[in-house]
């Protein structure tokens, strides 16, 4: 092992930054070059075909077979001119990655000769083998049929020589087997509900879009160092290795000068992203050594999520060209910042209004407050659902420290917006408001644009923070598919907006004027959702106590959190909104429970192997040297001198023996615990068992390895010091 690591160091020292040539100094010259976008469709499609795609994109609905054939013909012509030889339906199964099966354009013609062919049928639907994708019991392994169907709202693109068509993925019986299908349904649900509420303020609103701006954090390490760490290659994180002497204590990496090799990687990555129509804009060093961030301009949520999944794949390929490996694990190294994927979320209308941004007049600000307050209520009612959507085996290591929010879900609003909510509560009475009272309240609301500038600071410890014109869901992990969190959030918001409208309409039907009815319902929601509002330090022990008093939940166990998907509030948001059926929801929980179990199982097997086959033999070899040294001292010195000179060495031998014995016993115990868990047939119970019985062994073994490394430092180098080397770019 040591030899491999020294070879890795030699490789690292010989690395040179790779040269990157920009296609043009103007990004606009090549932006979207590999995307079948509006410009390309106008050129390659007939007017009727172009209109059909645009209508389906904007208003929904299907495209008939004849029109699909024309669209496929134009898409094929464009793709072949760009060098494509194959096509694939690109989808997002429940594996936390993307999937694709490539087929060539070639086919037999009428005379038996070979031709390029791509029909509307092949564009609209395909039947990939679904047997090995997670389904949560919806279908058995021998039932291989599954269907992918074209998502018209997300444009096709080219990777290498393959035309990629974004699609949904469903089972033979119609249940969703992917992340995209529920997301699209959640976006449709929030669109419908939000439009109905917007009608109170602007009759011209006919569509509401959910927007997403993701911030992708990641680590980069040299591929030679990566390959020298079995734990890193197999689990995505270092399972052992004590803390580096210097990591992020001096805050000198954050926004620092980007290392040259990394800068070239970023340039190369951005070129590829821009060709694929991904509007990446921001790049910088993050807090932890060797940690970086990439962020795009906001987009509609479905497209933004597709782009994030695409970027994660492109990052891996580009990194390999630069002799790097990308780490998306939320906590690859203990003791330093982990990586998140902050989801900046907002709603906007087809009239150009951002509903989470202050308006230009009192009516616009009433609308702003309406959507802010309903967001508060949606989060309050669905705190367990939102946590379940982001809490995974890897993200659980990140939450609660180093700028990652805690597992207690709360909303940061800032002082000024909080004051406006307090003003509504105080000034909206039980009795009918006078014209003067309504005017005074509207004038106060009209001041929001003046004071909102003071409210754009971000609480780094808040899982869900208002940042001036959007909410930032900070708890989402860096390896996650954003669709899980965005599905939960938009579905919850859709149901809440429906509840709000029903309450307002009841008051209007009772003879109360519209504005006053809205104020009365807002007052009720502000009071009810007060427990979720918190502007303080989410890391403090006082907040844990206070949150419990408020009735907020604090769940750190992944299986326990996932089980909340099946509670009444979560079911209401996901099932009542039409986003999932009960069968689909139960299956999804089953899949997530299994993923948690498998990840803990893999970590346990890797750590057990490394501990017994690498750590213990090294410690024994060093201990043998110490014993030989002690024996030599006994032969040379008198009894009194021997005790004085060899005392510390004998104590070290004893200490090493203690840690070796503990490691062996703990590994044996962990193996037996795994065996006990593996015979459990119920997937939920197995996940809980792994969490309660196996996971504690991982921490115990890590503790003794850490202690052992400290006393066997020289012999085990560069394992204990390895974290410092991983940071060296």
């Amino acid at each position: 092992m040591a030899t491999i690591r020294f070879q890795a160091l030699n490789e690292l020292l010989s690395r040179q930054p790779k040269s990157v040539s920009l296609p043009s100094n103007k990004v606009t010259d090549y932006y979207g070059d590999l995307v079948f976008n509006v410009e390309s469709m106008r050129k390659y499609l007939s007017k009727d075909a172009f209109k059909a795609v645009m209508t389906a994109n904007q208003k929904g609905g299907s495209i008939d077979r004849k029109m699909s054939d024309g669209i496929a013909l134009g898409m094929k012509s464009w793709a072949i001119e760009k060098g494509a030889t194959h096509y694939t339906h690109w989808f997002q199964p429940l594996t936390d990655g993307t999937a694709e099966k490539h087929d060539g354009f070639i086919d037999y013609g009428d005379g038996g000769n070979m031709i390029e062919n791509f029909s509307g049928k092949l564009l609209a639907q395909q039947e990939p083998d679904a047997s090995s994708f997670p389904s949560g019991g919806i279908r058995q392994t021998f039932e291989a049929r599954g269907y992918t169907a074209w998502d018209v709202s997300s444009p096709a693109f080219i990777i290498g020589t393959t035309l990629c068509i974004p699609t949904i993925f469903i089972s033979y019986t119609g249940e969703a087997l992917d992340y995209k299908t529920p997301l699209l349904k959640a976006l449709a649900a929030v669109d419908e509900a939000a439009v109905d509420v917007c009608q109170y303020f602007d009759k011209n609103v006919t569509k509401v879009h959910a927007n997403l701006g993701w911030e992708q954090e990641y680590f980069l390490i040299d591929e030679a160092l990566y390959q020298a760490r079995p734990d890193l290659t197999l689990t995505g994180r270092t399972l052992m290795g004590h803390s580096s002497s210097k990591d992020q204590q001096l805050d000198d990496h954050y926004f620092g000068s980007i290392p040259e090799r990394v800068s070239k990687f970023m340039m190369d990555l951005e070129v590829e992203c821009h060709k694929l129509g991904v509007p990446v804009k921001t790049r910088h060093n993050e807090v932890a050594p060797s940690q970086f961030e990439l962020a795009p301009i906001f987009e509609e949520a479905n497209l933004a999520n597709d782009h994030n999944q695409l970027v994660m794949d492109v990052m891996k390929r580009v990194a390999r060209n630069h002799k790097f490996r990308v780490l998306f694990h939320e906590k690859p190294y203990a003791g330093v910042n982990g990586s998140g994927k902050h989801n900046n979320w907002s709603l906007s209308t087809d009239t150009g209004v951002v509903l989470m941004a202050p308006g230009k007049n009192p009516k616009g600000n009433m609308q702003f407050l309406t959507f802010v307050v309903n967001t508060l209520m949606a989060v309050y009612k669905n705190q367990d659902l939102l946590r379940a959507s982001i809490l995974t085996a890897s993200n659980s290591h990140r939450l609660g420290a180093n700028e990652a929010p805690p597992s207690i879900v709360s909303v940061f609003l800032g002082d000024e917006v909080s004051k406006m909510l307090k003003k509504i509560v105080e000034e909206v009475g039980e009795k009918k408001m006078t014209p003067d009272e309504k005017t005074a309240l509207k004038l106060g609301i009209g001041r929001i644009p003046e004071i909102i500038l003071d409210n754009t600071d971000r609480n780094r410890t808040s899982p869900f923070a208002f940042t001036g014109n959007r909410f930032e869901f900070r708890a989402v992990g860096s390896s996650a598919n954003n669709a899980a969190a965005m599905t939960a959030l938009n579905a919850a918001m859709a149901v809440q907006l429906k509840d709000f409208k029903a309450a307002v309409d009841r008051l209007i039907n009772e003879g109360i004027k519209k504005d006053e009815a809205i104020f009365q319902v807002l007052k009720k929601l502000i009071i009810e959702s007060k427990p979720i509002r918190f502007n303080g330090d989410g890391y403090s022990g006082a907040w844990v106590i206070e949150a419990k008093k408020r009735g907020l939940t604090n769940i750190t166990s992944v299986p326990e959190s996932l089980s909340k998907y099946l509670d009444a509030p979560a079911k209401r948001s996901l099932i009542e909104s039409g986003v999932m059926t009960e069968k689909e929801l139960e299956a999804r929980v089953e899949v997530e429970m299994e993923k948690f179990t498998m990840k803990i199982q893999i970590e346990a097997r890797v750590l057990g192997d490394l501990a017994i086959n690498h750590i213990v033999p090294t410690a024994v070899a060093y201990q043998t040297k110490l014993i030989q040294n002690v024996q030599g001292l006994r032969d040379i010195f008198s009894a009194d001198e021997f005790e004085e000179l060899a005392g510390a060495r004998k104590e070290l031998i004893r200490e090493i023996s203690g840690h070796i014995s503990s490691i062996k016993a703990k590994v044996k115990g962990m193996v037996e615990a795994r065996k006990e868990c593996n015979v459990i047939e119920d997937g939920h119970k197995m996940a809980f068992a792994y969490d309660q019985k196996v996971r504690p062994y991982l921490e115990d073994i890590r503790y003794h390895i850490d202690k052992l490394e400290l006393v066997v430092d020289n012999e085990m180098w560069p394992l204990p010091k390895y974290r410092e080397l991983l940071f060296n770019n």
Side-chain angles (χ1 to χ4, degrees):
M1 291 293 290
T3 302
I4 293 175
R5 294 190 180 96
F6 283 117
Q7 289 175 348
L9 285 176
N10 288 332
E11 283 190 45
L12 172 63
L13 293 173
S14 66
R15 303 280 195 227
Q16 295 295 323
K18 187 173 181 178
S19 177
V20 177
S21 298
L22 298 176
S24 169
N25 289 329
K26 292 176 61 179
V27 173
T28 52
D29 286 345
Y30 57 91
Y31 187 83
D33 186 55
L34 298 178
V35 183
F36 195 58
N37 51 25
V38 173
E39 182 181 339
S40 298
M41 285 191 286
R42 278 202 181 98
K43 180 179 179 181
Y44 287 88
L45 300 183
S46 67
K47 289 183 179 180
D48 288 342
F50 176 77
K51 182 179 179 181
V53 174
M54 298 306 293
T55 301
N57 188 1
Q58 295 167 5
K59 298 181 180 180
S62 59
I63 299 175
D64 64 46
R65 174 66 183 276
K66 183 178 180 181
M67 199 63 71
S68 294
D69 283 337
I71 296 168
L73 182 64
M75 191 182 292
K76 181 197 71 176
S77 298
W78 168 80
I80 289 176
E81 283 188 22
K82 294 291 183 181
T85 58
H86 290 68
Y87 63 90
T88 183
H89 274 200
W90 182 80
F91 57 100
Q92 301 168 32
L94 302 177
T95 56
D96 296 331
T98 57
E100 53 198 62
K101 181 188 74 170
H102 298 195
D103 285 301
F105 284 122
I106 61 169
D107 203 350
Y108 286 115
D110 293 336
N113 57 313
M114 199 63 70
I115 62 171
E116 275 84 18
N117 181 47
F118 184 55
S119 66
K121 180 181 179 181
L122 295 175
L123 167 63
Q125 180 178 304
Q126 287 195 23
E127 184 186 329
D129 185 348
S131 61
S132 294
F133 289 112
S135 71
I138 284 179
R139 36 159 311 289
Q140 300 299 317
T141 302
F142 63 85
E143 298 171 322
R145 295 186 75 174
Y147 295 104
T148 51
W150 179 28
D151 173 17
V152 183
S153 65
S154 188
F157 55 90
I158 294 174
I159 294 287
T161 58
T162 303
L163 170 66
C164 300
I165 303 154
T167 61
I168 63 171
F169 180 45
I170 59 175
S171 69
Y172 175 69
T173 48
E175 290 89 4
L177 296 176
D178 65 345
Y179 285 106
K180 179 186 275 281
T181 303
L183 176 61
L184 289 173
K185 290 181 178 180
L187 296 177
V190 80
D191 170 24
E192 180 184 354
V195 165
D196 286 345
V197 173
C198 285
Q199 290 289 304
Y200 288 139
F201 308 98
D202 184 355
K203 295 294 184 182
N204 294 316
V205 174
T206 60
K207 189 169 185 61
V208 170
H209 301 277
N211 306 305
L212 171 62
W214 43 265
E215 301 170 20
Q216 181 69 60
E217 295 177 340
Y218 61 97
F219 283 83
L220 273 183
I221 65 169
D222 187 87
E223 68 174 10
L225 299 177
Y226 172 83
Q227 296 293 353
R229 287 293 302 233
D231 50 352
L232 203 56
T233 59
L234 295 174
T235 72
R237 70 180 182 121
T238 53
L239 295 177
M240 61 188 74
H242 64 70
S243 297
S244 170
S245 304
K246 178 185 179 296
D247 41 59
Q248 63 187 48
Q249 304 100 313
L250 300 179
D251 299 320
D252 53 350
H253 191 257
Y254 190 51
F255 280 17
S257 177
I258 300 174
E260 189 175 1
R261 274 185 70 199
V262 176
S263 180
K264 295 297 185 182
F265 156 78
M266 289 178 169
M267 290 172 59
D268 203 357
L269 173 63
E270 287 177 354
V271 168
E272 295 303 311
C273 287
H274 290 151
K275 287 179 180 178
L276 291 166
V278 184
V280 294
K281 183 178 179 69
T282 303
R283 64 188 186 200
H284 63 82
N285 287 6
E286 255 302 333
V287 176
S290 211
Q291 187 187 33
F292 307 93
E293 181 178 300
L294 174 76
I297 301 170
F298 278 55
E299 298 179 284
E300 188 275 326
N302 177 49
L303 181 58
N305 188 61
D306 279 3
H307 279 166
N308 180 244
Q309 290 295 295
L310 177 58
V311 165
M312 291 172 73
D313 184 59
V314 172
M315 286 176 77
K316 294 175 184 177
R317 290 189 288 105
V318 174
R320 285 193 288 269
N321 288 337
H322 291 259
K323 304 299 181 181
F324 281 127
R325 286 293 185 271
V326 180
L327 303 182
F328 291 123
H329 193 290
E330 282 77 8
K331 198 74 170 178
Y333 311 112
V336 297
N337 275 28
S339 296
K341 181 148 51 188
H342 309 158
N343 278 204
N344 293 277
W345 168 81
S346 65
L347 299 174
S348 62
T349 69
D350 56 352
T351 59
V353 175
V354 178
L355 296 171
M356 276 71 177
K360 297 179 180 179
N361 51 51
K363 179 182 282 190
N365 286 316
M366 276 186 68
Q367 180 173 260
F368 158 70
L369 287 174
T370 293
F371 279 89
V372 167
V373 171
N374 276 284
T375 301
L376 287 174
M377 199 64 190
V379 174
Y380 178 52
K381 288 180 179 177
N382 294 275
Q383 53 181 299
D384 289 337
L385 169 60
L386 293 177
R387 184 193 300 107
S389 73
I390 59 89
L391 193 58
T392 61
S394 52
N395 202 23
S396 64
H397 294 291
R398 162 182 168 258
L399 297 181
N402 301 107
E403 293 195 10
S407 58
I408 302 170
V409 176
S410 63
V411 179
F412 166 83
L413 282 182
D415 293 336
E416 296 303 334
V417 176
S418 298
K419 289 177 183 177
M420 290 307 305
L421 300 190
K422 183 179 179 182
K423 185 179 181 69
I424 292 175
V425 171
E426 291 174 347
E427 297 188 12
V428 176
E430 298 298 325
K431 297 180 180 180
K432 185 176 180 180
M433 298 176 71
T434 67
D436 288 343
E437 287 173 335
K438 282 193 282 189
T439 299
L441 185 55
K442 288 181 179 180
L443 286 174
I445 292 173
R447 289 188 59 247
I448 289 177
E450 302 170 27
I451 63 176
I452 205 71
L453 293 176
D454 297 326
N455 191 53
T456 55
D457 193 18
R458 303 183 184 188
N459 186 326
R460 293 291 180 181
T461 68
S462 176
F464 203 89
F466 177 68
T467 56
N469 60 0
R470 62 192 183 275
F471 283 91
E472 184 178 22
F473 194 5
R474 295 181 54 81
V476 183
S478 56
S479 68
N481 187 314
N482 292 316
M486 287 294 99
T487 297
L489 178 56
N490 286 290
M493 189 65 173
V495 171
Q496 175 55 37
L497 289 172
K498 284 187 176 182
D499 288 347
F500 171 79
K501 186 174 188 303
V504 172
D505 286 349
R506 274 196 300 271
L507 294 180
I508 293 174
N509 291 335
E510 292 172 5
I512 298 175
K513 295 292 185 180
K514 181 185 70 176
D515 286 356
E516 188 170 345
I518 291 173
F519 277 132
Q520 286 192 15
V521 177
L522 287 180
K523 175 183 177 179
K524 181 175 180 290
L525 297 181
I526 292 168
I527 294 172
E528 288 182 15
S529 64
K530 186 177 179 181
I532 206 72
R533 303 203 309 265
F534 179 63
N535 292 342
D537 181 4
Y539 293 163
S540 70
W543 169 232
V544 175
I545 298 171
E546 172 64 20
K548 187 175 182 180
K549 289 180 181 177
R550 296 185 184 192
L552 303 181
T553 53
N554 183 12
I555 301 173
T556 57
S557 163
V558 177
E560 184 182 352
S561 177
L562 291 174
S563 69
K564 297 299 180 181
Y565 265 122
L566 303 177
D567 282 1
K571 281 188 173 183
R572 181 164 187 257
S573 290
L574 294 171
I575 296 175
E576 186 175 309
S577 63
V579 170
M580 294 184 193
T581 64
E582 188 155 0
K583 184 178 181 181
E584 287 174 329
L585 181 56
E586 290 175 352
R588 199 144 303 226
V589 175
E590 191 72 30
V591 169
E592 293 302 322
M593 289 285 191
E594 184 179 15
K595 282 197 288 191
F596 170 80
T597 299
M598 292 299 103
K599 287 181 179 180
I600 300 303
Q601 184 183 96
I602 291 169
E603 287 193 1
R605 295 176 68 178
V606 171
L607 184 59
D609 174 62
L610 291 177
I612 297 302
N613 295 318
H614 298 283
I615 303 300
V616 169
T618 302
V620 169
Y622 182 60
Q623 187 184 47
T624 300
K625 289 183 179 180
L626 289 175
I627 292 171
Q628 292 171 346
N629 179 262
V630 169
Q631 290 172 337
L633 292 174
R634 185 190 297 276
D635 293 339
I636 296 174
F637 297 100
S638 66
D640 290 342
E641 288 177 308
F642 168 74
E643 289 300 329
E644 179 181 351
L645 295 173
R649 290 175 176 80
K650 289 197 294 181
E651 184 58 37
L652 186 55
I653 292 169
R654 188 177 291 109
E655 186 177 348
I656 291 172
S657 293
H659 289 306
I660 289 174
S661 298
S662 295
I663 289 171
K664 287 183 174 180
K666 296 292 182 182
V667 170
K668 183 178 180 181
M670 183 171 67
V671 171
E672 294 303 315
R674 282 209 330 266
K675 291 178 180 178
E676 291 178 20
C677 295
N678 290 343
V679 298
I680 300 174
E681 294 184 1
D682 183 275
H684 291 219
K685 291 180 179 178
M686 182 185 289
F688 274 97
Y690 260 88
D691 191 39
Q692 296 164 5
K693 294 182 178 181
V694 178
R695 204 168 192 181
Y697 275 113
L698 285 167
E699 301 309 314
D700 287 345
I701 294 169
R702 283 163 58 95
Y703 168 81
H704 286 288
I705 291 176
D706 186 51
K707 293 295 183 181
L708 193 57
E709 287 174 340
L710 289 171
V711 296
V712 195
D713 198 28
N714 292 330
E715 292 295 314
M716 297 185 71
W717 192 89
L719 181 61
K721 301 288 188 184
Y722 207 70
R723 189 169 299 154
E724 296 172 65
L725 303 175
L726 293 176
F727 291 150
N728 182 10
N729 285 311

